[in-house]
Every structure is written in structure tokens, then in C-alpha cells.
Amino acid sequence: PVRGDAADADACGAEEAVPEELAAARAEAAVMEEAFPDDGQPAPERVRRYVPRTWHRGDEREAPPLDTDVMEMRGALDDLDARLRAIQSRQDELMPKASAEAAGSREMPRAIAEMRAQNDALR
């Protein structure tokens, strides 16, 4: 390909700029070689050590032990639940079904059921 005068001028300018850049790169490489001399040996390979895992992803973990306060609260809730059942069974024995319905005791089983639901929600 034939180049014109403008193309030749650009090429000459590029040739002059390259040696300056090349000289700067060579000077920087010399400084690097001086700071980090190369003894001709290849760099040693890094050995990756196998570290066994102390936990497994798929395994179920044990639940942490419960606090003494939590255990006391559960015991208290169980006692309340037992008392509620005892009260309900005594009332069932004392009141016949027909008279209980006539007396409007429909609210009592509902109240007991609500208390049990609250008890379960607190656990």
C-alpha cells in the first residue's frame, strides 16, 4: 500500500514515541529486577492442604439445651393445663349435660378452649 506524506509523518512520529515508551519500560523493568532478582528457578507451587470440616451441611444439629427459666415456664404451663383439665372433669361430673346446656354453660367449654389455645401459644 502506498502512503501519502501525511501518513509518513504520522508513522515517523509514532516511531519516535515508541522508543521513549520502550526506554521507560526497560528502566522500570531494570528497577523491578534489582528489587526482585530472579534466580532462574521456577516459583514453587503452592500446596493446598486438606482441612477436614468440623460440621456437615446436611446433618441436623442438636437443639441447644433449654434455659432453666424456660424449663420452669414450661413446667408452670403444664401444671395449669392439668388444673384446667381437672376443673373441667369435675364440672362435667357435677353438672349433667342437659342442665348444663339449659344453664348456659356453653361459654365454659369455649373459655377453657381459649385458655388452652393461649397456653399452647405461650409454649
Side-chain angles (χ1 to χ4, degrees):
V2 177
R3 291 194 261 180
D5 291 334
D8 288 337
D10 287 340
C12 290
E15 288 175 8
E16 290 175 8
V18 172
E20 290 175 20
E21 290 177 9
L22 186 58
R26 285 184 180 159
E28 189 175 333
V31 170
M32 295 282 288
E33 185 65 33
E34 194 174 306
F36 305 103
D38 186 18
D39 58 359
Q41 300 283 331
E45 286 189 34
R46 292 184 68 192
V47 177
R48 184 173 181 181
R49 295 183 206 158
Y50 174 73
V51 179
R53 290 185 183 165
T54 57
W55 55 274
H56 299 284
R57 291 182 184 161
D59 291 349
E60 292 291 325
R61 293 184 182 182
E62 277 186 32
L66 295 175
D67 191 19
T68 56
D69 294 334
V70 174
M71 294 300 290
E72 289 175 11
M73 292 293 282
R74 280 193 175 180
L77 288 173
D78 288 340
D79 289 343
L80 286 173
D81 196 30
R83 287 181 186 176
L84 282 173
R85 278 193 232 125
I87 291 170
Q88 187 177 17
S89 66
R90 269 190 250 142
Q91 286 179 350
D92 288 342
E93 290 173 2
L94 295 175
M95 283 189 170
K97 295 283 185 185
S99 64
E101 288 179 10
S105 66
R106 292 181 184 174
E107 296 175 11
M108 206 176 325
R110 186 178 67 213
I112 291 173
E114 287 176 12
M115 285 185 219
R116 282 188 179 161
Q118 288 174 354
N119 188 5
D120 291 338
L122 289 173
R123 288 181 192 206

